[in-house]
Amino acid sequence: MQIPKDLIKEAAKKLQSVKNKSEFYNLRSHYLGKKSFVQNAFKELKNLDGKEKIRIAKSLNLLREELTDFFESVDLKVLAVKEEPYIDVTLPVNANIGKKHPISVVMDLILDYFHNLNYSSYFGNEIESDYYNFEALNFPQNHPARQMHDTFYLNKSLNDKCLLRTHTSNTQIHMMLNKSAPIYMLSPGRVYRCDHDMTHLPMFTQVEGLAVDQNISFSDLKGTIIGFIDYFFNQSVDVRFRPSYFPFTEPSAEVDIRFGKKGWLEILGCGMVHPNVLRNCNIDARKYRGFAFGVGVERLAMLYYGVEDIREFYASNSEFLNQI
Ligand code: PHE
């Protein structure tokens, strides 16, 4: 009986093209299984005689040992990496499905209300020049109100300073310069201020509203805001217009709502568009008047969901988000 040489080498070569565990087991049984050369040769031993039988039996034992060692030395973990993942489609689905972020939910509620009143959306620039963020909004250079905005400047060396907008009011100017009155605009977006604590973030979201038309009065502004607040909280809420100051509106007010034990909470700023702003945008201030408001979306979301710490909204904590 001839015992083939290089059986291990041959097996090692074939192993290289093995892609998964089942191919590996097939290969092993080809060399060591019932129908393998080694096992058949053992069966043939009975036909041999004496010395020849002993010699061949020794060689066969050796070969079987070597083959066994060879297959045992193969690291199945390495093969598992090559293996294509097995997907059991009968397993129950892990229903951890993504959903809208609470800020987007609140934003959509606001947009829905005003779209129904025929306001159209306009998305402005987050990187803005000093002119649109301040100057055209009646904040002259060195006006003290600029200090209140804790601005992030991008490049102080530029002639027309670049900054991250501190409010969405910059879109008022773009809109009035690009479109003639009447205007009913809503402008949602991110704004930036150098501020960070439980109730302030360096980046937050506002929605700006602007209406410019003939015969617009402060009572139109009041009616619009009160209507929105009742809709948003789905009940009649105590609302207070508190006199305030913004360079771009006159008169100006901040709007507070009464919220349980917490008392009065401010949710937006508003006022009648200052005639200087209308003039900066080439709108005839004798013919047209306007009102504007800016809503803090995170503040509304905190009230809507009963969240105490504004930073929760951006902590990417899925437990918190799922709870909401
Ligand atoms: N832009 C103001 C702010 O961020 C809010 C505002 C908008 C006030 C429009 C009046 C009119 O505080």
Side-chain angles (χ1 to χ4, degrees), residues 193-202 310-311:
R193 289 187 201 178
C194 203
D195 211 350
H196 198 201
D197 61 31
M198 248 181 81
T199 49
H200 296 92
L201 289 172
I310 193 169
R311 293 168 295 199

Side-chain angles (χ1 to χ4, degrees), residues 166-167 169 172 193 206 208 246 248-249 269-271 292-294:
T166 57
H167 51 180
S169 301
Q172 290 188 30
R193 289 187 201 178
Q206 288 189 335
E208 191 82 6
F246 301 103
F248 42 97
T249 48
C270 62
F293 54 87

Side-chain angles (χ1 to χ4, degrees), residues 35 80 85 124 143 179 216 239 249 252 261 266 274 288 290:
K35 291 180 184 157
H143 192 286
K179 223 183 146 245
I216 281 203
V239 180
T249 48
S252 305
K261 287 187 202 127
E266 180 205 324
H274 196 293
Y288 289 103

Side-chain angles (χ1 to χ4, degrees), residues 57-85:
K58 268 189 186 163
S59 310
L60 279 178
N61 271 327
L62 195 67
L63 180 60
R64 183 167 60 182
E65 239 168 69
E66 280 175 357
L67 281 168
T68 310
D69 284 352
F70 169 73
F71 282 108
E72 268 173 13
S73 73
V74 175
D75 187 353
L76 289 183
K77 276 191 224 124
V78 176
L79 275 181
V81 176
K82 284 205 224 164
E83 211 164 341
E84 282 181 21

Side-chain angles (χ1 to χ4, degrees), residues 121-140:
S121 286
Y122 171 76
F123 298 92
N125 312 329
E126 288 178 30
I127 294 178
E128 190 54 285
S129 67
D130 180 277
Y131 182 76
Y132 288 97
N133 196 83
F134 290 128
E135 190 89 31
L137 284 162
N138 204 30
F139 287 81

Side-chain angles (χ1 to χ4, degrees), residues 282-313:
N282 310 320
I283 289 180
D284 186 349
R286 284 161 306 177
K287 195 170 165 200
Y288 289 103
R289 273 180 299 193
F291 67 70
F293 54 87
V295 189
V297 180
E298 282 79 4
R299 174 49 73 85
L300 275 189
M302 285 167 85
L303 297 173
Y304 192 76
Y305 291 111
V307 171
E308 301 262 315
D309 187 341
I310 193 169
R311 293 168 295 199
E312 291 269 32
F313 289 121

